[in-house]
Amino acid sequence: MFLGMNRTLVTVTTAQVRGSELGPESRLPAYAPVRSASAPAVEDGAPPDMVERVARGRLRTPLPYGLMSDYDRGSHQLALPAIELANEQARVTILPTLGGRVWSFVDVRRDRELLYSPPRLRYAAFGLSDAWFAGGIEWNLGSFGHTTMTTRPMHAARIASPNGDGEGVRLWEWERTRDIPFAIDLWLDGACLMASTRLVNLDAEDKPLYWWTNIAVPETDETRVLVPATHAWQTDYRGVLTRVAVPRPDPNGVDVSRPAASTFAADYFFEVSDSPARMVSAFEPDGRGFAQTSTAALRGRKLFLWGRGPGGRRWQEHLGDGGRYAEIQAGVCPTQLEHDLLPANSMLTWTECFTGVDMTAAEVAGDYQAASAAAARAAYREMPPERINALHQQWLETTAEADPGEQLALGSGWGHVELALRSTSSPDGMTFPEVADDSLEMLPLVRGGQVVAQPSSAPLPGVSPRWRRAIAEAAARPDATWWAFYARAVLAHLDGEHDAARADYEGSVQREASAAALRGLAQLSSDIDLVDRMLAQAHEIAPHERRLVTERLSRLLEAGRPQRVLDVLDEVPDDIRQHGRTQLLAAQALADLGETSRALDILRALEVPDLAEGDKTMALLWQRLCPTEPVPEHLDYRMMRDTEATTS
């Protein structure tokens, strides 16, 4: 595409992708994180400010977001809404309905795709609200883990490019776990993709701050990741943060700048915080490369590698049907396990540059420190530090808070509701319109009324202090609905006030039996027969909620009732019974009953869509049933560096 005068144009289009379909958001509250919220261990001698940041800010729940767990493993033809940003030198594809993910970045000048996008778009339970997919450039705001925004829409609008070279795209939303509105302006400076980001704290208290830009780059046998650093903080699936030398953390071990050489998955957070100009890059042996650099607010740089062990190989297959990639990242803290603070009534901004780069083959193959220095020089030839700082300042002065132009895509209506709850106006440059989505159900509460909901589908309550006050006031009024009591019960449940939660769940059910309140009571009960009955009743009210069945089966297994698991499976709809997660529970029940042959029949054909990172369940079940046989590759997702990480 040649546009003349190198001016950037923005076009609304579609991206044709094969992959999984994403089901609806669950309306059952998550009372705990998808992944453990406990802080990792930090080695003795770590800087005190790092230790403080590691201990801060971990989310207890993804609420007010629901889990996105009902995706499949199909290979559907998907036409995803997309926005293209293009000039004579670069072409960028953005997916506004999937968190504003940059799905493709073609360097026209070099005639190459710079990012990894998988052959199939596949989901897995890596995100803060479950569903996550690999590929492209993603924007992670909120807390440790992949953002709640991963599979949710963002507002998008046309803007004037800050450098005067045509058009750009503004993405913005209201991140509700932290109550932070944010915006990302994407624009082109020649062949460089620029991303200028603004986080706004509208409240009178400091907030935990987490941001990591995650870039998937293709990995071959010879890919090399280069960062000007002598040390890094390493962590793996044991969760211990340890300072190591790079590129060889173990003097007798592999060179981790070559991701394909490693056996086990690991993160390396490079010590670059004191560098005046920070970058991370990935190169092929012929000198073709990609680099990211930024202004000073993004202090951290990271490499994540899957490794070539059985778990790493299996996960790459699960997430993309065989594509291989590494992740290079940039964040506001030195490591991804930390949370900084966004001060009260403040704004934080930065600008990133993503660009193709070139070195000689000899430079790529050189000593790590020399190769990293050459990579930095190559990156700064494309975008010198003084230029990115000047462009950032120009963006701040001319664009950051300017009203966006034509709306290109709609995000959620939650920003509109949050502003109504505050009785305040939106931050400059971000408009939050009313949107016909779940947020509309909460507007009556914001306006002093009651939420009126169907017992099969209860809106999830907000969890911020403002929402807590609004819910408490609604539940205290004479006209309080079942939903008000249910919402107050959820908040007490989250706070560990189980007697108060139980009383309010019961008060809600007395007004009207709902699936969510019955399930809340079941969560708090240790009487397995009562749990069985309540979850059965809840599923009768909300037959679309597969999690009610899997929670029921899991509780029965934990209570030592495997035969009851099989009895329940005979009663549930066929689509739920055939789901991979349900089949795994069936295999566990059969194993508990000594039905080894039937359990193995399930395992040999099993594929579970909603697997979490590092899941060992299937491998351990196989080892239990066949202790002398290797774990089949399709069941082996183990990532740890211990004896469980190798096949038998």
Side-chain angles (χ1 to χ4, degrees):
M1 179 183 293
F2 295 95
L3 304 174
M5 302 297 292
N6 201 36
R7 289 183 61 80
T8 302
L9 291 181
V10 169
T11 307
V12 176
T13 181
T14 57
Q16 300 296 324
V17 177
R18 294 203 71 86
S20 302
E21 287 190 334
L22 185 66
E25 179 175 348
S26 174
R27 289 198 162 192
L28 300 176
Y31 295 105
V34 173
R35 297 174 64 187
S36 172
S38 59
V42 184
E43 72 170 11
D44 293 342
D49 57 342
M50 174 182 282
V51 175
E52 179 182 353
R53 289 192 297 265
V54 166
R56 173 194 295 142
R58 306 180 92 75
L59 290 171
R60 295 182 297 161
T61 171
L63 284 172
Y65 293 100
L67 297 187
M68 305 288 290
S69 301
D70 280 330
Y71 38 88
D72 64 22
R73 289 284 293 165
S75 185
H76 311 281
Q77 184 61 51
L78 308 174
L80 302 175
I83 300 170
E84 186 177 87
L85 187 66
N87 62 17
E88 290 180 348
Q89 299 184 59
R91 185 169 65 250
V92 175
T93 303
I94 305 157
L95 304 180
T97 60
L98 292 174
R101 184 78 61 98
V102 174
W103 188 240
S104 170
F105 177 13
V106 175
D107 186 327
V108 175
R109 183 178 54 178
R110 292 178 171 86
D111 191 27
R112 65 179 186 249
E113 171 65 69
L114 299 177
L115 303 175
Y116 167 80
S117 295
R120 297 285 188 272
L121 193 157
R122 300 292 200 192
Y123 297 106
F126 284 34
L128 289 173
S129 56
D130 195 334
W132 176 82
F133 62 102
I137 303 173
E138 63 174 312
W139 322 103
N140 290 294
L141 169 64
S143 184
F144 172 62
H146 294 282
T147 177
T148 55
M149 296 303 305
T150 295
T151 52
R152 291 181 167 87
M154 293 188 70
H155 297 285
R158 209 180 297 268
I159 59 169
S161 180
N163 60 3
D165 287 345
E167 301 174 325
V169 176
R170 174 163 300 161
L171 302 167
W172 73 99
E173 250 299 347
W174 194 294
E175 205 289 322
R176 299 171 64 216
T177 65
R178 299 300 190 194
D179 266 346
I180 294 176
F182 72 105
I184 308 162
D185 288 353
L186 296 169
W187 45 288
L188 294 174
D189 189 64
C192 297
L193 171 62
M194 313 300 292
S196 297
T197 299
R198 184 164 62 111
L199 312 182
V200 183
N201 183 356
L202 296 174
D203 297 323
E205 65 273 356
D206 299 346
K207 295 188 176 181
L209 171 63
Y210 178 95
W211 179 282
W212 280 82
T213 301
N214 186 349
I215 308 151
V217 292
E219 178 192 293
T220 68
D221 289 342
E222 301 298 328
T223 301
R224 198 166 194 201
V225 173
L226 299 169
V227 182
T230 60
H231 288 79
W233 289 87
Q234 178 201 59
T235 187
D236 56 23
Y237 285 79
R238 296 172 297 180
V240 179
L241 198 57
T242 308
R243 188 173 185 263
V244 298
V246 288
R248 295 185 184 275
D250 179 343
N252 300 315
V254 300
D255 177 350
V256 299
S257 74
R258 303 181 186 278
S262 293
T263 302
F264 300 102
D267 297 312
Y268 294 92
F269 302 100
F270 299 95
E271 285 192 340
V272 297
S273 293
D274 296 331
S275 172
R278 304 176 189 94
M279 58 80 66
V280 60
S281 63
F283 283 87
E284 293 305 313
D286 62 1
R288 294 175 296 125
F290 171 91
Q292 183 272 0
T293 185
S294 73
T295 52
L298 289 189
R299 295 182 289 161
R301 294 297 185 275
K302 172 191 167 183
L303 161 66
F304 169 74
L305 53 87
W306 279 111
R308 295 301 177 87
R313 293 196 309 270
R314 183 65 189 117
W315 270 118
Q316 297 236 33
E317 177 70 27
H318 187 87
L319 290 167
D321 283 1
R324 288 164 45 191
Y325 70 98
E327 294 174 2
I328 57 176
Q329 304 187 26
V332 295
C333 287
T335 79
Q336 208 169 51
L337 306 178
E338 305 169 67
H339 294 79
D340 213 327
L341 287 175
L342 183 60
N345 300 307
S346 72
M347 180 174 72
L348 179 66
T349 66
W350 62 83
T351 291
E352 298 176 75
C353 172
F354 310 92
T355 182
V357 285
D358 295 291
M359 295 201 297
T360 67
E363 287 175 319
V364 176
D367 166 79
Y368 177 76
Q369 297 302 333
S372 294
R377 290 193 297 272
Y380 298 146
R381 281 195 296 270
E382 301 294 328
M383 180 57 63
E386 57 273 16
R387 176 161 176 78
I388 194 172
N389 287 326
L391 287 171
H392 178 70
Q393 189 61 37
Q394 188 173 355
W395 168 77
L396 280 174
E397 293 172 359
T398 65
T399 310
E401 297 183 301
D403 290 338
E406 176 195 3
Q407 186 110 15
L408 304 173
L410 273 178
S412 78
W414 285 108
H416 178 80
V417 174
E418 290 286 350
L419 290 169
L421 184 65
R422 286 168 164 76
S423 299
T424 189
S425 57
S426 62
D428 290 342
M430 300 184 216
T431 57
F432 290 99
E434 184 176 298
V435 177
D437 61 12
D438 294 352
S439 65
L440 290 181
E441 294 178 88
M442 301 299 284
L443 278 175
L445 185 72
V446 168
R447 294 166 179 164
Q450 295 283 343
V451 172
V452 178
Q454 296 297 318
S456 61
S457 186
L460 292 167
V463 295
S464 70
R466 284 184 180 82
W467 282 108
R468 286 172 176 268
R469 288 193 294 271
I471 289 166
E473 290 169 3
R477 290 200 295 267
D479 63 341
T481 62
W482 69 265
W483 185 91
F485 276 77
Y486 155 73
R488 191 169 65 179
V490 170
L491 299 178
H493 194 156
L494 289 173
D495 294 341
E497 298 171 359
H498 291 173
D499 289 343
R502 189 176 292 106
D504 272 342
Y505 284 134
E506 290 172 348
S508 177
V509 171
Q510 287 168 7
R511 284 162 175 78
E512 184 162 12
S514 68
L518 286 164
R519 184 255 190 165
L521 282 170
Q523 289 263 333
L524 295 176
S525 178
S526 59
D527 181 337
I528 189 58
D529 293 316
L530 182 62
V531 168
D532 191 11
R533 289 196 301 273
M534 285 191 294
L535 289 176
Q537 185 182 353
H539 190 243
E540 287 177 5
I541 296 171
H544 58 283
E545 281 284 8
R546 178 181 58 84
R547 284 172 59 210
L548 290 169
V549 175
T550 55
E551 288 181 12
R552 184 182 177 193
L553 300 178
S554 297
R555 292 290 297 275
L556 289 166
L557 273 177
E558 291 165 7
R561 302 281 188 89
Q563 184 57 55
R564 179 60 183 153
V565 168
L566 300 184
D567 294 341
V568 170
L569 283 170
D570 287 338
E571 304 167 2
V572 301
D574 187 63
D575 59 331
I576 294 178
R577 182 169 52 252
Q578 297 304 323
H579 190 278
R581 176 64 57 184
T582 318
Q583 286 294 296
L584 176 56
L585 292 165
Q588 290 174 298
L590 289 166
D592 288 350
L593 290 167
E595 298 269 5
T596 300
S597 178
R598 291 177 63 194
L600 288 174
D601 285 345
I602 292 174
L603 284 178
R604 289 189 180 99
L606 186 61
E607 188 169 43
V608 181
D610 57 331
L611 286 176
E613 199 168 357
D615 192 294
K616 299 184 290 186
T617 309
M618 292 183 292
L620 294 178
L621 181 58
W622 179 274
Q623 288 181 324
R624 172 185 165 192
L625 298 172
C626 300
T628 63
E629 295 184 24
V631 178
E633 186 171 319
H634 80 281
L635 301 177
D636 201 351
Y637 290 86
R638 295 166 298 170
M639 305 299 299
M640 292 180 67
R641 228 182 242 271
D642 56 18
T643 55
E644 292 179 344
T646 59
T647 53
S648 302

